[in-house]
Amino acid sequence: MTSSRIGSRQLLEALLDPGSFVSWDCAPLDVARTGDYRSALARASAAAGTDESVLTGEGLLRGRRIAVIACEFGFLAGSVGVAAAERIVTAVEHATQLGLPLVASPTSGGTRMQEGTLAFVQMVKIAGAVAAHKSAGHPYIVYLRNPTMGGVFASWGSLGHITFAEPGALIGFLGPRVYEALYGHPFPDGVQTAENLYRNGVIDGVVEVPVFRRIAHRALSVFSGSVRTPGAPDPRTELALRKTGPVAGAWESVLASRRPDRPGLRELLRRTTQRVPLSGTGQGEADRTVVLALARFHGRPCVVFGHDRAHQDPEHTMGPAALREARRSMQLAAELRLPLVLVIDTIGAALSKEAEERGLAPEIARCLADLVTLDTPTVSVLLGQGTGGGALALLPADRVLAATHGWLAPLPPEGASAIVHRDTGHAPELAAAQRIRSADLLADGIVDRIVPEYPDAADEPVEFACRAVAAIAAELEGLSAQSPAERQVARQRRYRRLGVPPRSGGIGRPREPGTG
């Protein structure tokens, strides 16, 4: 646990630019119905130096105007009653009206017991106000402090687009003291900690306030959607992108894609700016075979999600949690009106009892459905191996790129050979016959553009990563010129026509008058 608690004013001083905080708070509502409660509020105010358990207002974060909400644990353990809730909701609504991003930092024991059920249900209206703020396209960032418990964690403390926490913070639903009183034995150690929640994919990270300030600044730079003018492009990169590069055979590409030194998604992210790594589904699941982040590609802000080749092997392949994390990336992109970049580089989805029981196939289906209907621009990149449903789940985008040695197949070629020939020796032959290589995918309309390798990305990792990032940025720029309606129509038409010959009338389509 942290040795001392960070007070609300201390938090605001560390988070905001010096002297920039402006309070939005009026005198709190008078809700005390008894003299004892009124006396308790007076003592709490004197002890904490605040008039309620929460402070709200606005300030500058590295020059960017933001709205802030900060709980004060010193005021009746940061508990939330009617007056505190009204202050929070008023601040959220004001931030929405002004179009400001909102940074909230709860620390609370939960509902104020002196006000009972009426205080308890205040969490509903707080959650509703936050939901409206997010629906309007405004960022909501959360920094959980020690402790954050009960209804506060179960409402506005868990609704952030991104959520970080103070090191060692106690975070949970039911306080350990209450748990022991109710059940007669202590709550297990190490469960309700910021670090454990991070490991299990509930929050995105555990950092001190100064680090959170930098993360929030980078995130807001991406969330803002404004496009910085990038520096002059490297002529060598532009020339390399215009070239088609060498044409590779299918099996040659399969072998190249499996090289352990081949650059992956992390190498691409190193060539971007304003990177903010995120983690997990936010719902208690994390899969280390995938990466979720915010980033800018040549100034173009986006959400990035994809397979992490560095953490995959036959014993560790993507499971249902990875696909639920993919759906989180789609939700983030939709709520923040940001483009989504998806990177495919997988040896395949998990084949296990656990994966089946936790809904692997349904999650693939939901990813496909979410992607084809997403309102924001989407770019998919077939970076290396593209095996099975785990690859297909990230494919249906407005624009699809492929590295020269990227490939896509329903099974690894050895698996296809086992089905057709009952051995794996025909894998090279099946790879060619199934048209899995990038050149064939381009010819069949599955891929729009090939990012060349000269001759293999593993032999020129930096140059290739720069070309890939430049290609993604160019596609994002092109998509930004289209309206959401235009993108939706084009995307639906694209996937509706896959595999259908251009002159085919289609099953059930009425013949033109006068035809046979």
Side-chain angles (χ1 to χ4, degrees):
M1 290 299 157
T2 51
S3 57
S4 61
R5 294 191 175 99
I6 302 171
S8 56
R9 298 192 188 280
Q10 183 183 357
L11 181 279
L12 294 173
E13 288 174 1
L15 178 66
L16 300 175
D17 297 352
S20 67
F21 177 68
V22 177
S23 176
W24 287 352
D25 296 333
C26 299
L29 294 176
D30 183 4
V31 296
R33 296 183 178 181
T34 68
D36 288 345
Y37 184 27
R38 189 168 286 107
S39 297
L41 291 172
R43 290 193 300 272
S45 180
T50 62
D51 61 356
E52 247 299 341
S53 63
V54 63
L55 301 181
T56 74
E58 64 174 273
L60 299 179
L61 177 58
R62 292 195 170 187
R64 184 184 299 277
R65 188 182 177 195
I66 66 168
V68 288
I69 297 174
C71 276
E72 174 53 63
F73 193 83
F75 192 106
L76 294 181
S79 57
V80 173
V82 172
E86 187 61 25
R87 180 171 285 185
I88 293 168
V89 170
T90 300
V92 175
E93 291 173 341
H94 193 46
T96 306
Q97 291 166 0
L98 294 175
L100 293 179
L102 176 58
V103 177
S105 183
T107 172
S108 173
T111 298
R112 189 165 298 174
M113 293 296 106
Q114 293 90 334
E115 298 179 28
T117 300
L118 190 59
F120 178 49
V121 298
Q122 298 300 304
M123 304 306 164
V124 177
K125 73 180 185 184
I126 298 175
V130 170
H133 182 80
K134 294 168 65 178
S135 295
H138 305 311
Y140 179 58
I141 298 176
V142 173
Y143 183 68
L144 304 170
R145 292 168 20 241
N146 179 48
T148 302
M149 304 298 294
V152 171
F153 183 48
S155 57
W156 56 289
S158 293
L159 293 176
H161 286 117
I162 64 174
T163 303
F164 287 79
E166 176 189 3
L170 177 69
I171 301 170
F173 181 58
L174 187 62
R177 185 174 64 182
V178 177
Y179 179 92
E180 186 167 2
L182 292 175
Y183 298 105
H185 56 86
F187 197 83
D189 287 337
V191 174
Q192 295 177 316
T193 66
E195 289 77 7
N196 188 54
L197 296 185
Y198 169 58
R199 284 191 296 269
N200 284 280
V202 178
I203 61 176
D204 291 303
V206 180
V207 295
E208 301 282 1
V209 178
V211 179
F212 173 71
R213 171 179 156 87
R214 296 197 295 270
I215 290 172
H217 168 69
R218 290 201 302 268
L220 291 173
S221 296
V222 176
F223 290 162
S224 69
S226 58
V227 179
R228 294 181 180 177
T229 303
D234 186 335
R236 295 170 298 177
T237 298
E238 295 296 311
L239 179 62
L241 280 171
R242 286 197 292 269
K243 294 180 179 178
T244 58
V247 177
W251 189 244
E252 178 187 352
S253 287
V254 171
L255 295 179
S257 73
R258 292 173 175 173
R259 282 185 59 170
D261 54 349
R262 182 175 177 83
L265 172 54
R266 292 185 183 274
E267 283 68 33
L268 266 61
L269 284 172
R270 292 190 186 104
R271 310 299 156 188
T272 65
T273 57
Q274 302 294 343
R275 296 181 300 276
V276 179
L278 305 179
S279 177
T281 63
Q283 301 176 35
E285 292 179 292
D287 191 319
R288 302 309 177 193
T289 67
V290 293
V291 171
L292 172 61
L294 310 171
R296 284 180 177 266
F297 287 75
H298 287 202
R300 295 280 168 182
C302 59
V303 179
V304 186
F305 178 83
H307 304 114
D308 183 7
R309 63 182 296 114
H311 288 87
Q312 295 181 71
D313 59 54
E315 300 299 319
H316 299 90
T317 53
M318 64 179 297
L323 294 160
R324 284 189 271 273
E325 196 165 340
R327 295 182 67 210
R328 180 193 174 192
S329 76
M330 299 170 201
Q331 183 179 2
L332 271 176
E335 289 182 349
L336 294 163
R337 278 69 157 172
L338 288 175
L340 176 63
V341 174
L342 300 152
V343 176
I344 300 168
D345 196 359
T346 178
I347 61 178
L351 303 175
S352 67
K353 174 179 180 291
E354 294 78 9
E356 296 289 352
E357 292 176 345
R358 290 167 55 208
L360 178 68
E363 285 301 331
I364 292 173
R366 294 183 189 108
C367 281
L368 294 172
D370 288 352
L371 268 182
V372 296
T373 57
L374 199 64
D375 285 339
T376 60
T378 52
V379 175
S380 184
V381 185
L382 187 54
L383 197 60
Q385 300 183 78
T387 301
L392 186 66
L394 306 188
L395 180 74
D398 295 312
R399 298 285 291 176
V400 180
L401 312 182
T404 297
H405 293 305
W407 54 273
L408 181 69
L411 285 173
E414 295 88 342
S417 177
I419 290 175
V420 176
H421 298 287
R422 298 183 183 276
D423 62 44
T424 59
H426 293 78
E429 174 187 329
L430 261 293
Q434 289 188 320
R435 298 179 60 81
I436 71 173
R437 64 178 183 160
S438 61
D440 295 323
L441 299 174
L442 182 67
D444 289 340
I446 297 171
V447 161
D448 299 298
R449 181 177 184 177
I450 293 177
V451 181
E453 304 178 38
Y454 300 112
D456 190 320
D459 297 323
E460 42 139 20
V462 173
E463 294 84 353
F464 171 76
C466 289
R467 282 198 299 277
V469 167
I472 293 167
E475 298 297 347
L476 292 174
E477 183 176 2
L479 290 170
S480 69
Q482 299 177 355
S483 70
E486 289 171 332
R487 286 195 304 269
Q488 282 278 7
V489 169
R491 191 189 303 160
Q492 291 170 5
R493 183 185 298 122
R494 170 199 184 106
Y495 292 103
R496 173 64 180 85
R497 292 178 175 177
L498 272 181
V500 179
R503 296 183 180 180
S504 172
I507 297 175
R509 184 172 297 176
R511 294 188 177 93
E512 295 295 329
T515 61

